[in-house]
Amino acid sequence: MSRIQATLAALAANNKKGLIPFITAGDPAPELTVPLMHALVRGGADILELGVPFSDPMAEGPVIQRACERALKFGVSLHDVLGYVRQFRQDNSTTPVVLMGYANPLERMGVDAFIAAAKEAGVDGSIVVDYPPEECEEFAAKMQANGMDPIFLLAPTSTEKRIQQVAKVGGGFTYYVSLKGVTGAANIDTTEVAARVAAIRKHVKLPIGVGFGIRDAATAKAVAQVSDAVVIGSRIIQELENTPREQAVAAVENFLSGIRKALDE
């Protein structure tokens, strides 16, 4: 059982829901990435999702696009992101870390080199947004052979065939995109989310995390009632944008602790 699977299984055994916050590595400054990761854990994160900056993040809304642009201005690369994970692991050997990004940086490094480097750094899984699950069975198998989970996205428009393929090749958890559009784009219809998650569960036996559009404690709690975990990204990036840099770590921890409290009530 992977660290992601073990974490989510332990939460389920205690009738708790997972909290998966997202930040973009290198934003708002490279030296803050690891302190922010630790702050998110103190705030109640169960799994960390760390974005790999990319110049054309097609699934991201304006908020995370800006985060990528800021990180890229600092020259933050996939190598740097792996370095942040390695540094985080010096003080935290238990919280799973998932890298979220796009195929281009990974392909440039080379799939085998990436998998070896990710394993050495202490990465637990990856979401490669533009890797179709139908075309990367070899990648998924190599990830799992090295103890890491290939995590795939499903959307409101996903066909039954696509859901079945994700069930076949995915690991860790399945990420359900709760709305049609990009990250942070709209408010969630929790009734529709409940119906779609129920349909996905007919085929997918992995835990289901729901993200895109979760902006506050009330929405997080509503979504958690029909899923196994909630993913929050754009709202955390907004917190960083609206906070002086020297207060960023405390602000993020405080924000996430409010979400954690709502999930546990």
Side-chain angles (χ1 to χ4, degrees), residues 11-12 63 122 191 208 220 230:
L11 286 165
V63 173
T191 303
I208 297 175
V230 296

Side-chain angles (χ1 to χ4, degrees), residues 19-23 36 38-45 63 213-221 230-243 247-264:
L19 179 54
I20 308 175
F22 168 96
I23 57 171
L36 284 169
H38 287 302
L40 291 168
V41 174
R42 291 194 301 271
V63 173
I214 299 174
R215 308 186 59 79
D216 53 40
T219 307
K221 186 170 185 176
V230 296
V231 185
I232 302 181
S234 294
R235 183 62 185 81
I236 294 173
I237 304 299
Q238 286 180 322
E239 198 72 22
L240 291 171
E241 286 186 326
N242 297 327
T243 304
Q247 298 172 23
V249 171
V252 162
E253 181 179 345
N254 183 60
F255 170 77
L256 201 68
S257 65
I259 304 294
R260 176 82 265 169
K261 183 179 178 182
L263 293 184
D264 292 345

Side-chain angles (χ1 to χ4, degrees), residues 40-246:
L40 291 168
V41 174
R42 291 194 301 271
D46 298 298
I47 297 169
L48 297 179
E49 197 178 307
L50 190 60
V52 179
F54 185 54
S55 57
D56 299 282
M58 68 186 83
E60 320 299 350
V63 173
I64 296 179
Q65 286 180 22
R66 292 195 299 268
C68 283
E69 289 168 4
R70 289 189 292 266
L72 289 171
K73 283 182 180 178
F74 287 112
V76 174
S77 68
L78 178 54
H79 288 281
D80 295 314
V81 178
L82 292 168
Y84 301 146
V85 178
R86 198 176 297 113
Q87 188 180 341
F88 174 76
R89 285 282 173 242
Q90 293 175 7
D91 299 302
N92 185 316
S93 61
T94 57
T95 304
V97 176
V98 174
L99 300 187
M100 181 170 184
Y102 294 81
N104 189 291
L106 192 157
E107 295 284 342
R108 186 176 181 185
M109 179 181 284
V111 169
D112 290 340
F114 165 75
I115 289 174
K119 180 180 180 179
E120 183 273 330
V123 171
D124 296 281
S126 69
I127 302 167
V128 186
V129 178
D130 46 350
Y131 262 5
E134 295 84 2
E135 297 178 17
C136 59
E137 291 190 11
E138 183 180 357
F139 170 76
K142 286 182 177 180
M143 285 285 289
Q144 291 178 324
N146 283 275
M148 294 178 289
D149 289 313
I151 297 163
F152 292 96
L153 302 172
L154 288 172
T157 54
S158 293
T159 63
E160 189 170 23
K161 186 176 180 181
R162 167 61 63 90
I163 293 169
Q164 290 171 340
Q165 179 66 12
V166 166
K168 179 181 176 183
V169 300
F173 67 93
T174 297
Y175 190 143
Y176 176 63
V177 175
S178 61
L179 46 84
K180 300 172 187 175
V182 293
T183 53
N187 294 321
I188 293 177
D189 181 341
T190 52
T191 303
E192 182 180 342
V193 170
R196 289 295 293 163
V197 168
I200 291 167
R201 288 197 195 278
K202 292 177 182 178
H203 303 286
V204 175
K205 303 310 176 189
L206 294 171
I208 297 175
V210 175
F212 282 48
I214 299 174
R215 308 186 59 79
D216 53 40
T219 307
K221 186 170 185 176
V223 168
Q225 290 174 354
V226 299
S227 67
D228 301 294
V230 296
V231 185
I232 302 181
S234 294
R235 183 62 185 81
I236 294 173
I237 304 299
Q238 286 180 322
E239 198 72 22
L240 291 171
E241 286 186 326
N242 297 327
T243 304
R245 200 170 287 185
E246 62 275 12

